[in-house]
Amino acid sequence: MKKSLAGLTLSGALLLAGCSANNNSPHTTSQSAVSKNDEATYQDNVANTKRMRVEITDHKVINPGEKGNEEGVTPIMVFWYTATNKTDQGLTPIDIWGLLFTAYQGNATPLKGQDVEESIRIGHPLAPIEQNHSAQNMTAFKLYDKTAPLKLVIEDKLTNQKLGEQEFPIK
């Protein structure tokens, strides 16, 4: 139920945000072609666009049986972050994360989100964030390989502007 509600919320946010975008200007992936006011960046674990901002505050691999993954059979990578909504559209923390980040490990198939135990959960992923406010949250991914790093591809999915990518080693 939560996953379908999150998907519905994300779809609605994409639709609303897409409708408000200026369709008369071409989208580009070149940061040098973007004006300073609209510049989207990813630097020092911070993704920043004109609509949203995410700061990754921590990350950790949690092995099966450890706190947060007590019932799991495979390791998970958890990211804690602060999401800021710069729009008046009531985006949720999980919407904002999903509009900016895609996780991969060793192949071209994106990793799916993984539920975590209540013991490490923070924030409310489906609670709308008011304009110019922030909320803390976390997300997790099931790891398929115990050695290959997890790669985050950072892209503003509303403008198709790639902001960068970063690998997180599995320790």
Side-chain angles (χ1 to χ4, degrees), residues 88-107:
D88 61 356
Q89 297 173 354
L91 297 173
T92 68
I94 203 71
D95 290 337
I96 293 172
W97 178 273
L99 288 168
L100 290 171
F101 296 94
T102 306
Y104 297 90
Q105 190 186 32
N107 64 33

Side-chain angles (χ1 to χ4, degrees), residues 82-126:
T82 301
T84 303
N85 179 14
K86 298 179 184 181
T87 73
D88 61 356
Q89 297 173 354
L91 297 173
T92 68
I94 203 71
D95 290 337
I96 293 172
W97 178 273
L99 288 168
L100 290 171
F101 296 94
T102 306
Y104 297 90
Q105 190 186 32
N107 64 33
T109 304
L111 296 175
K112 294 189 190 256
Q114 174 70 33
D115 283 336
V116 295
E117 305 294 331
E118 192 68 35
S119 61
I120 65 165
R121 193 172 296 159
I122 65 165
H124 301 284
L126 301 177

Side-chain angles (χ1 to χ4, degrees), residues 2-71:
K2 285 183 181 179
K3 289 182 182 178
S4 63
L5 182 57
L8 181 60
T9 302
L10 179 59
S11 298
L14 284 169
L15 178 63
L16 288 172
C19 290
S20 69
N22 180 357
N23 291 329
N24 295 330
S25 64
H27 298 297
T28 180
T29 58
S30 170
Q31 285 191 17
S32 62
V34 178
S35 74
K36 289 290 181 194
N37 292 337
D38 293 339
E39 187 172 340
T41 61
Y42 181 75
Q43 185 175 357
D44 300 325
N45 291 332
V46 177
N48 194 31
T49 74
K50 71 179 187 174
R51 292 180 182 88
M52 63 201 104
R53 179 182 189 272
V54 170
E55 178 179 1
I56 297 172
T57 56
D58 200 4
H59 69 281
K60 179 181 179 181
V61 173
I62 303 177
N63 290 306
E66 293 179 348
K67 183 178 179 179
N69 193 12
E70 292 92 343
E71 302 297 321

